[in-house]
Short mmCIF file of all heavy atoms in Angstrom, two decimals:
data_model
loop_
_atom_site.label_atom_id
_atom_site.label_comp_id
_atom_site.label_asym_id
_atom_site.label_seq_id
_atom_site.Cartn_x
_atom_site.Cartn_y
_atom_site.Cartn_z
N THR A 23 141.43 165.46 200.26
CA THR A 23 141.83 166.31 201.39
C THR A 23 141.30 165.77 202.71
O THR A 23 141.99 165.79 203.74
CB THR A 23 141.31 167.75 201.18
OG1 THR A 23 141.75 168.22 199.91
CG2 THR A 23 141.81 168.67 202.27
N ILE A 24 140.05 165.29 202.71
CA ILE A 24 139.48 164.60 203.87
C ILE A 24 139.71 163.11 203.67
O ILE A 24 139.28 162.54 202.66
CB ILE A 24 137.98 164.91 204.01
CG1 ILE A 24 137.78 166.40 204.30
CG2 ILE A 24 137.35 164.06 205.11
CD1 ILE A 24 136.32 166.82 204.35
N ARG A 25 140.39 162.49 204.61
CA ARG A 25 140.76 161.09 204.46
C ARG A 25 140.35 160.27 205.67
O ARG A 25 140.10 160.81 206.75
CB ARG A 25 142.28 160.95 204.24
CG ARG A 25 142.80 161.70 203.01
CD ARG A 25 144.24 161.38 202.71
NE ARG A 25 144.41 160.02 202.20
CZ ARG A 25 144.21 159.66 200.94
NH1 ARG A 25 143.79 160.54 200.04
NH2 ARG A 25 144.42 158.41 200.56
N SER A 26 140.32 158.98 205.47
CA SER A 26 140.09 158.04 206.57
C SER A 26 141.40 157.82 207.32
O SER A 26 142.47 158.17 206.83
CB SER A 26 139.58 156.71 205.98
OG SER A 26 139.63 155.68 206.93
N HIS A 27 141.29 157.25 208.52
CA HIS A 27 142.48 156.80 209.24
C HIS A 27 142.80 155.34 208.92
O HIS A 27 143.79 154.80 209.42
CB HIS A 27 142.29 156.96 210.75
CG HIS A 27 142.18 158.39 211.19
ND1 HIS A 27 140.97 159.01 211.41
CD2 HIS A 27 143.13 159.33 211.42
CE1 HIS A 27 141.16 160.26 211.77
NE2 HIS A 27 142.47 160.48 211.79
N ALA A 28 141.96 154.70 208.11
CA ALA A 28 142.16 153.29 207.78
C ALA A 28 143.21 153.13 206.69
O ALA A 28 143.33 153.96 205.78
CB ALA A 28 140.84 152.67 207.33
N VAL A 29 143.94 152.04 206.77
CA VAL A 29 144.94 151.69 205.76
C VAL A 29 144.42 150.48 204.99
O VAL A 29 144.20 149.41 205.56
CB VAL A 29 146.30 151.37 206.42
CG1 VAL A 29 147.30 150.88 205.38
CG2 VAL A 29 146.83 152.61 207.14
N ASP A 30 144.20 150.66 203.70
CA ASP A 30 143.67 149.58 202.88
C ASP A 30 144.69 148.45 202.77
O ASP A 30 145.87 148.67 202.45
CB ASP A 30 143.30 150.10 201.49
CG ASP A 30 142.11 151.05 201.54
OD1 ASP A 30 141.10 150.67 202.13
OD2 ASP A 30 142.21 152.17 201.01
N GLY A 31 144.23 147.23 203.05
CA GLY A 31 145.09 146.06 202.93
C GLY A 31 146.13 145.92 204.01
O GLY A 31 147.12 145.18 203.83
N ALA A 32 145.96 146.59 205.14
CA ALA A 32 146.93 146.48 206.23
C ALA A 32 146.99 145.05 206.75
O ALA A 32 146.01 144.30 206.67
CB ALA A 32 146.55 147.43 207.37
N PRO A 33 148.13 144.63 207.30
CA PRO A 33 148.25 143.26 207.79
C PRO A 33 147.38 143.02 209.03
O PRO A 33 147.15 143.94 209.81
CB PRO A 33 149.73 143.13 208.13
CG PRO A 33 150.17 144.54 208.42
CD PRO A 33 149.38 145.39 207.48
N VAL A 34 146.91 141.80 209.19
CA VAL A 34 146.16 141.45 210.39
C VAL A 34 147.13 141.20 211.54
O VAL A 34 148.34 141.01 211.32
CB VAL A 34 145.29 140.19 210.17
CG1 VAL A 34 144.30 140.43 209.04
CG2 VAL A 34 146.17 138.97 209.86
N ILE A 35 146.62 141.22 212.75
CA ILE A 35 147.44 140.94 213.92
C ILE A 35 147.42 139.43 214.16
O ILE A 35 146.36 138.85 214.43
CB ILE A 35 146.90 141.68 215.16
CG1 ILE A 35 146.89 143.19 214.92
CG2 ILE A 35 147.74 141.33 216.39
CD1 ILE A 35 146.26 143.98 216.04
N PRO A 36 148.53 138.74 214.02
CA PRO A 36 148.53 137.28 214.18
C PRO A 36 148.21 136.86 215.61
O PRO A 36 148.62 137.50 216.58
CB PRO A 36 149.96 136.88 213.79
CG PRO A 36 150.78 138.11 213.99
CD PRO A 36 149.88 139.27 213.71
N GLY A 37 147.41 135.82 215.71
CA GLY A 37 147.12 135.22 217.01
C GLY A 37 146.06 135.93 217.83
O GLY A 37 145.82 135.55 218.98
N LYS A 38 145.41 136.97 217.28
CA LYS A 38 144.36 137.67 218.02
C LYS A 38 143.04 137.57 217.26
O LYS A 38 143.00 137.65 216.04
CB LYS A 38 144.73 139.14 218.24
CG LYS A 38 145.85 139.35 219.25
CD LYS A 38 146.02 140.82 219.59
CE LYS A 38 144.88 141.36 220.44
NZ LYS A 38 144.92 140.85 221.82
N ARG A 39 141.95 137.42 218.04
CA ARG A 39 140.61 137.39 217.47
C ARG A 39 139.77 138.47 218.16
O ARG A 39 139.90 138.68 219.37
CB ARG A 39 139.96 136.02 217.64
CG ARG A 39 140.72 134.91 216.93
CD ARG A 39 140.12 133.55 217.24
NE ARG A 39 138.86 133.34 216.54
CZ ARG A 39 138.78 132.88 215.28
NH1 ARG A 39 139.87 132.63 214.60
NH2 ARG A 39 137.62 132.69 214.71
N PHE A 40 138.92 139.11 217.39
CA PHE A 40 138.13 140.22 217.90
C PHE A 40 136.65 139.98 217.63
O PHE A 40 136.28 139.38 216.60
CB PHE A 40 138.55 141.52 217.21
CG PHE A 40 140.00 141.87 217.38
CD1 PHE A 40 140.93 141.48 216.44
CD2 PHE A 40 140.43 142.57 218.50
CE1 PHE A 40 142.28 141.80 216.58
CE2 PHE A 40 141.77 142.90 218.66
CZ PHE A 40 142.70 142.51 217.70
N PRO A 41 135.77 140.43 218.55
CA PRO A 41 134.33 140.34 218.28
C PRO A 41 133.97 141.18 217.05
O PRO A 41 134.69 142.09 216.66
CB PRO A 41 133.68 140.89 219.55
CG PRO A 41 134.75 141.68 220.23
CD PRO A 41 136.05 141.06 219.85
N VAL A 42 132.82 140.84 216.47
CA VAL A 42 132.43 141.39 215.17
C VAL A 42 131.16 142.21 215.30
O VAL A 42 130.22 141.83 216.00
CB VAL A 42 132.22 140.25 214.15
CG1 VAL A 42 131.72 140.79 212.81
CG2 VAL A 42 133.53 139.48 213.95
N ILE A 43 131.13 143.34 214.59
CA ILE A 43 129.94 144.18 214.50
C ILE A 43 129.48 144.19 213.04
O ILE A 43 130.25 144.56 212.15
CB ILE A 43 130.23 145.63 214.94
CG1 ILE A 43 130.58 145.66 216.43
CG2 ILE A 43 129.04 146.54 214.64
CD1 ILE A 43 131.11 147.02 216.89
N LEU A 44 128.24 143.77 212.80
CA LEU A 44 127.62 143.96 211.49
C LEU A 44 126.98 145.35 211.51
O LEU A 44 126.03 145.58 212.26
CB LEU A 44 126.54 142.91 211.23
CG LEU A 44 126.95 141.47 210.98
CD1 LEU A 44 125.72 140.62 210.69
CD2 LEU A 44 127.93 141.36 209.83
N PHE A 45 127.49 146.25 210.70
CA PHE A 45 127.01 147.64 210.75
C PHE A 45 126.18 147.98 209.52
O PHE A 45 126.58 147.70 208.38
CB PHE A 45 128.17 148.62 210.86
CG PHE A 45 127.72 150.05 211.03
CD1 PHE A 45 127.37 150.52 212.28
CD2 PHE A 45 127.60 150.88 209.93
CE1 PHE A 45 126.92 151.82 212.44
CE2 PHE A 45 127.15 152.19 210.08
CZ PHE A 45 126.80 152.66 211.34
N SER A 46 125.02 148.62 209.76
CA SER A 46 124.12 149.03 208.68
C SER A 46 123.86 150.52 208.74
O SER A 46 123.50 151.07 209.79
CB SER A 46 122.80 148.27 208.77
OG SER A 46 122.99 146.89 208.51
N HIS A 47 124.04 151.18 207.62
CA HIS A 47 123.85 152.63 207.50
C HIS A 47 122.37 152.99 207.51
O HIS A 47 121.48 152.13 207.38
CB HIS A 47 124.47 153.12 206.19
CG HIS A 47 123.94 152.42 204.97
ND1 HIS A 47 122.70 152.68 204.43
CD2 HIS A 47 124.48 151.43 204.20
CE1 HIS A 47 122.49 151.90 203.37
NE2 HIS A 47 123.55 151.14 203.22
N GLY A 48 122.09 154.27 207.63
CA GLY A 48 120.73 154.76 207.58
C GLY A 48 120.19 154.81 206.16
O GLY A 48 120.92 154.63 205.18
N TYR A 49 118.89 155.09 206.06
CA TYR A 49 118.18 155.14 204.78
C TYR A 49 118.79 156.22 203.89
O TYR A 49 118.94 157.37 204.29
CB TYR A 49 116.71 155.44 205.05
CG TYR A 49 115.75 155.11 203.93
CD1 TYR A 49 115.72 153.85 203.37
CD2 TYR A 49 114.86 156.07 203.46
CE1 TYR A 49 114.83 153.52 202.36
CE2 TYR A 49 113.95 155.76 202.45
CZ TYR A 49 113.93 154.49 201.90
OH TYR A 49 113.05 154.19 200.90
N SER A 50 119.19 155.86 202.70
CA SER A 50 119.77 156.71 201.66
C SER A 50 121.16 157.23 202.03
O SER A 50 121.69 158.10 201.35
CB SER A 50 118.84 157.89 201.30
OG SER A 50 118.93 158.94 202.25
N ALA A 51 121.77 156.68 203.08
CA ALA A 51 123.13 157.06 203.47
C ALA A 51 124.12 156.04 202.89
O ALA A 51 123.78 155.22 202.05
CB ALA A 51 123.24 157.15 204.98
N THR A 52 125.37 156.10 203.34
CA THR A 52 126.36 155.10 202.97
C THR A 52 127.17 154.73 204.21
O THR A 52 127.17 155.45 205.22
CB THR A 52 127.35 155.61 201.89
OG1 THR A 52 128.37 156.39 202.51
CG2 THR A 52 126.64 156.44 200.82
N THR A 53 127.89 153.62 204.11
CA THR A 53 128.79 153.22 205.18
C THR A 53 129.73 154.34 205.58
O THR A 53 129.99 154.58 206.77
CB THR A 53 129.62 152.01 204.72
OG1 THR A 53 128.76 150.86 204.66
CG2 THR A 53 130.79 151.73 205.62
N PHE A 54 130.25 155.07 204.59
CA PHE A 54 131.33 156.01 204.85
C PHE A 54 130.86 157.25 205.58
O PHE A 54 131.68 158.00 206.12
CB PHE A 54 132.03 156.35 203.53
CG PHE A 54 132.53 155.11 202.86
CD1 PHE A 54 131.84 154.57 201.79
CD2 PHE A 54 133.64 154.44 203.34
CE1 PHE A 54 132.26 153.39 201.20
CE2 PHE A 54 134.07 153.26 202.76
CZ PHE A 54 133.38 152.73 201.68
N SER A 55 129.55 157.47 205.63
CA SER A 55 129.01 158.57 206.42
C SER A 55 129.22 158.34 207.92
O SER A 55 129.03 159.25 208.72
CB SER A 55 127.51 158.73 206.15
OG SER A 55 127.27 158.90 204.77
N TYR A 56 129.63 157.12 208.31
CA TYR A 56 129.81 156.76 209.71
C TYR A 56 131.27 156.37 209.99
O TYR A 56 131.55 155.62 210.92
CB TYR A 56 128.89 155.58 210.06
CG TYR A 56 127.44 155.88 209.78
CD1 TYR A 56 126.88 155.59 208.53
CD2 TYR A 56 126.62 156.46 210.74
CE1 TYR A 56 125.55 155.87 208.26
CE2 TYR A 56 125.29 156.74 210.47
CZ TYR A 56 124.77 156.45 209.22
OH TYR A 56 123.44 156.73 208.96
N THR A 57 132.19 156.91 209.20
CA THR A 57 133.59 156.52 209.31
C THR A 57 134.14 156.76 210.72
O THR A 57 134.84 155.89 211.27
CB THR A 57 134.43 157.27 208.27
OG1 THR A 57 134.01 156.88 206.95
CG2 THR A 57 135.91 156.96 208.44
N ALA A 58 133.85 157.90 211.33
CA ALA A 58 134.41 158.18 212.66
C ALA A 58 133.94 157.15 213.68
O ALA A 58 134.75 156.66 214.49
CB ALA A 58 134.01 159.59 213.11
N GLN A 59 132.66 156.81 213.66
CA GLN A 59 132.13 155.82 214.59
C GLN A 59 132.76 154.45 214.34
O GLN A 59 133.17 153.76 215.28
CB GLN A 59 130.62 155.73 214.44
CG GLN A 59 129.97 154.69 215.33
CD GLN A 59 128.49 154.47 215.05
OE1 GLN A 59 127.93 153.49 215.51
NE2 GLN A 59 127.86 155.37 214.32
N ILE A 60 132.84 154.05 213.08
CA ILE A 60 133.41 152.74 212.74
C ILE A 60 134.87 152.68 213.18
O ILE A 60 135.32 151.69 213.78
CB ILE A 60 133.27 152.48 211.24
CG1 ILE A 60 131.80 152.25 210.87
CG2 ILE A 60 134.12 151.28 210.81
CD1 ILE A 60 131.52 152.18 209.38
N GLU A 61 135.63 153.73 212.89
CA GLU A 61 137.04 153.73 213.28
C GLU A 61 137.21 153.65 214.79
O GLU A 61 138.14 153.01 215.29
CB GLU A 61 137.72 154.99 212.73
CG GLU A 61 137.86 154.99 211.21
CD GLU A 61 138.59 156.20 210.67
OE1 GLU A 61 138.75 157.19 211.43
OE2 GLU A 61 139.01 156.17 209.51
N ASP A 62 136.31 154.29 215.53
CA ASP A 62 136.41 154.23 216.99
C ASP A 62 136.18 152.80 217.48
O ASP A 62 136.91 152.31 218.35
CB ASP A 62 135.40 155.18 217.63
CG ASP A 62 135.54 155.21 219.14
OD1 ASP A 62 136.51 155.82 219.64
OD2 ASP A 62 134.69 154.61 219.83
N PHE A 63 135.15 152.13 216.94
CA PHE A 63 134.92 150.73 217.32
C PHE A 63 136.18 149.89 217.07
O PHE A 63 136.62 149.12 217.93
CB PHE A 63 133.77 150.14 216.49
CG PHE A 63 132.39 150.47 216.99
CD1 PHE A 63 131.40 150.84 216.10
CD2 PHE A 63 132.07 150.39 218.33
CE1 PHE A 63 130.11 151.13 216.54
CE2 PHE A 63 130.79 150.67 218.79
CZ PHE A 63 129.81 151.05 217.88
N VAL A 64 136.73 150.02 215.87
CA VAL A 64 137.88 149.19 215.49
C VAL A 64 139.08 149.50 216.37
O VAL A 64 139.80 148.58 216.80
CB VAL A 64 138.21 149.40 214.00
CG1 VAL A 64 139.45 148.60 213.60
CG2 VAL A 64 137.03 148.98 213.12
N SER A 65 139.31 150.77 216.65
CA SER A 65 140.47 151.13 217.48
C SER A 65 140.38 150.56 218.89
O SER A 65 141.39 150.42 219.57
CB SER A 65 140.62 152.66 217.53
OG SER A 65 139.66 153.25 218.40
N HIS A 66 139.15 150.21 219.31
CA HIS A 66 138.95 149.61 220.64
C HIS A 66 138.82 148.09 220.57
O HIS A 66 138.39 147.45 221.54
CB HIS A 66 137.71 150.21 221.30
CG HIS A 66 137.94 151.59 221.84
ND1 HIS A 66 137.70 152.73 221.11
CD2 HIS A 66 138.42 152.03 223.04
CE1 HIS A 66 138.00 153.79 221.84
NE2 HIS A 66 138.43 153.40 223.00
N GLY A 67 139.18 147.49 219.44
CA GLY A 67 139.24 146.03 219.38
C GLY A 67 138.01 145.33 218.87
O GLY A 67 137.63 144.29 219.40
N TYR A 68 137.39 145.87 217.83
CA TYR A 68 136.29 145.21 217.14
C TYR A 68 136.58 145.14 215.65
O TYR A 68 137.24 146.03 215.09
CB TYR A 68 134.97 145.99 217.33
CG TYR A 68 134.37 145.87 218.70
CD1 TYR A 68 134.67 146.79 219.71
CD2 TYR A 68 133.51 144.81 219.01
CE1 TYR A 68 134.13 146.68 220.97
CE2 TYR A 68 132.95 144.69 220.28
CZ TYR A 68 133.27 145.62 221.26
OH TYR A 68 132.73 145.50 222.52
#
């Protein structure tokens, strides 16, 4: 019922390169606890 906005296996954008963020979750958390933040970064070109 609660879903991500990400599409698994979506095609890359040809001819464009984006800066990279290495993201680390908090102690005893998981990556997915930060989905909104991660999606915002990506939507702005990271």
Side-chain angles (χ1 to χ4, degrees):
T23 306
I24 295 175
R25 301 189 71 82
S26 167
H27 294 97
V29 174
D30 292 309
V34 300
I35 301 175
K38 288 189 72 72
R39 298 174 75 85
F40 301 93
V42 176
I43 295 170
L44 290 182
F45 185 83
S46 293
H47 57 76
Y49 199 54
S50 80
T52 82
T53 288
F54 304 102
S55 304
Y56 303 89
T57 296
Q59 178 187 166
I60 290 171
E61 291 183 345
D62 184 74
F63 279 137
V64 177
S65 76
H66 284 92
Y68 286 92

